[in-house]
Amino acid sequence: MHATYLYKGLSQDEAETLQAALPDERTIGILSDFFGVFADSTRLRILWFLSHKELRVADLAALVGMQQSAVSHQLKTLRLQRLVKFRREGTTIHYSLDDDHVRHIFDVALAHIREGQLP
Amino acid sequence: MHATYLYKGLSQDEAETLQAALPDERTIGILSDFFGVFADSTRLRILWFLSHKELRVADLAALVGMQQSAVSHQLKTLRLQRLVKFRREGTTIHYSLDDDHVRHIFDVALAHIREGQLP
DNA sequence: GCAGTATGTGAACATATATTCATATAGATG
DNA sequence: CATCTATATGAATATATGTTCACATACTGC
């Protein structure tokens, strides 16, 4: 009779080294939340528009063809992730991109997608 | 009496130009699906492990502490997005990263996250 | 302060998605 | 061919998430 091993193609040491190098749970969570922001077509379109021009909420809603409320909810998500900033002017609020990493992320993702033959 | 305008801070022309430059629905969908892959902590951990070493399914399951079935389902998602490749060796299947864009995407995202003071 | 306008937000609802369980498939071995 | 092992997959379930509706909040001008 022998012990059943947890890993088949890995030594216990290798496994522990791999796990030790893994970013902690908190960091992983922050990362997945960050990517989650880009995983929605409405938010992508909002970010796209904002990458071209500062826009007020009502105009964003008209551009993406959704209710102002829906856009407000999405802008909140984008604010929490620090991807957009805003300035108030009277009662209207103007949003703009807070981060040129957004553009960079887009570029990298597009490059990846263009490489594979599309499904 | 006058028409009610769709846009408040935008001419009709500006709005149409913005919308014309927007990537088509299909591209937006592909992009959001692509980002969605990274929007899950299990998949992020799988990708992380694979970025260090080629691994068989059973070992991946042990490393992430989940059932083999769950890992298989996630690997399918990763395969569909062409982020991992695999080779068969007898009955076992070894997975590895298919794309160094993954590493690049990680770097950009981490850079963004490190800039803001974490919540 | 009141009315009007722009934006934000909570609750409800519908849909998407991750995980588990049970089982199917594929290859190896006797 | 029967059995064993590794992986894949379909159905069921639980949870997360996006949108809408109704209303709250914030500012302006009278």
Side-chain angles (χ1 to χ4, degrees), chain A residues 70-115:
Chain A
V71 173
S72 265
H73 278 297
Q74 298 299 15
L75 286 170
K76 180 176 191 172
T77 305
L78 295 172
R79 264 187 281 121
L80 288 176
Q81 289 291 335
R82 283 178 253 275
L83 294 173
V84 299
K85 58 190 173 193
F86 59 96
R87 68 183 174 84
R88 179 181 276 278
E89 193 174 309
T91 64
T92 87
I93 300 187
H94 301 264
Y95 280 85
S96 54
L97 277 199
D98 192 12
D99 194 347
D100 54 6
H101 286 162
V102 176
R103 247 175 290 259
H104 194 179
I105 292 251
F106 275 3
D107 290 344
V108 175
L110 282 167
H112 166 87
I113 284 162
R114 290 202 186 104
E115 274 182 8

Side-chain angles (χ1 to χ4, degrees), chain A residues 45-50 53-68 71 75 78 84 93-96, chain B residues 7 10 19:
Chain A
R45 284 182 298 154
I46 290 175
L47 288 171
W48 174 272
F49 286 127
L50 291 180
K53 194 172 198 304
E54 183 193 60
L55 290 164
R56 65 179 72 183
V57 178
D59 284 348
L60 266 174
L63 282 167
V64 301
M66 301 191 66
Q67 299 208 264
Q68 168 266 317
V71 173
L75 286 170
L78 295 172
V84 299
I93 300 187
H94 301 264
Y95 280 85
S96 54
Chain B
Y7 304 99
L10 226 57
Q19 282 185 323

Side-chain angles (χ1 to χ4, degrees), chain B residues 24-43:
Chain B
D24 60 38
E25 199 180 329
R26 173 181 158 80
T27 302
I28 300 261
I30 291 173
L31 263 178
S32 64
D33 288 349
F34 174 72
F35 286 119
V37 176
F38 298 91
D40 176 80
S41 58
T42 300
R43 282 191 296 268

Side-chain angles (χ1 to χ4, degrees), chain A residues 6-58:
Chain A
L6 199 47
Y7 302 98
K8 309 278 180 61
L10 227 55
S11 71
Q12 187 66 29
D13 267 11
E14 281 177 307
E16 280 167 12
T17 303
L18 279 174
Q19 282 185 324
L22 182 72
D24 61 36
E25 198 181 328
R26 174 181 158 77
T27 303
I28 300 261
I30 292 174
L31 263 179
S32 63
D33 287 349
F34 175 70
F35 286 118
V37 175
F38 297 91
D40 176 79
S41 59
T42 301
R43 282 191 297 268
L44 283 185
R45 284 182 298 154
I46 290 175
L47 288 171
W48 174 272
F49 286 127
L50 291 180
S51 78
H52 288 271
K53 194 172 198 304
E54 183 193 60
L55 290 164
R56 65 179 72 183
V57 178

Side-chain angles (χ1 to χ4, degrees), chain B residues 25-107:
Chain B
E25 199 180 329
R26 173 181 158 80
T27 302
I28 300 261
I30 291 173
L31 263 178
S32 64
D33 288 349
F34 174 72
F35 286 119
V37 176
F38 298 91
D40 176 80
S41 58
T42 300
R43 282 191 296 268
L44 282 185
R45 285 182 298 154
I46 290 175
L47 287 172
W48 174 272
F49 286 127
L50 292 180
S51 77
H52 288 271
K53 197 174 194 302
E54 183 194 60
L55 289 164
R56 65 180 72 184
V57 178
D59 284 349
L60 266 175
L63 282 167
V64 302
M66 301 192 65
Q67 305 215 310
Q68 169 265 316
S69 169
V71 173
S72 265
H73 279 297
Q74 299 298 15
L75 286 171
K76 179 176 191 172
T77 305
L78 295 173
R79 263 187 282 121
L80 289 175
Q81 289 291 334
R82 283 178 252 273
L83 294 173
V84 299
K85 59 189 173 197
F86 60 95
R87 66 183 175 85
R88 177 181 279 278
E89 193 173 310
T91 64
T92 87
I93 299 186
H94 301 264
Y95 279 85
S96 54
L97 276 200
D98 190 15
D99 196 345
D100 53 7
H101 286 163
V102 177
R103 246 175 288 259
H104 194 178
I105 292 252
F106 275 3
D107 290 345

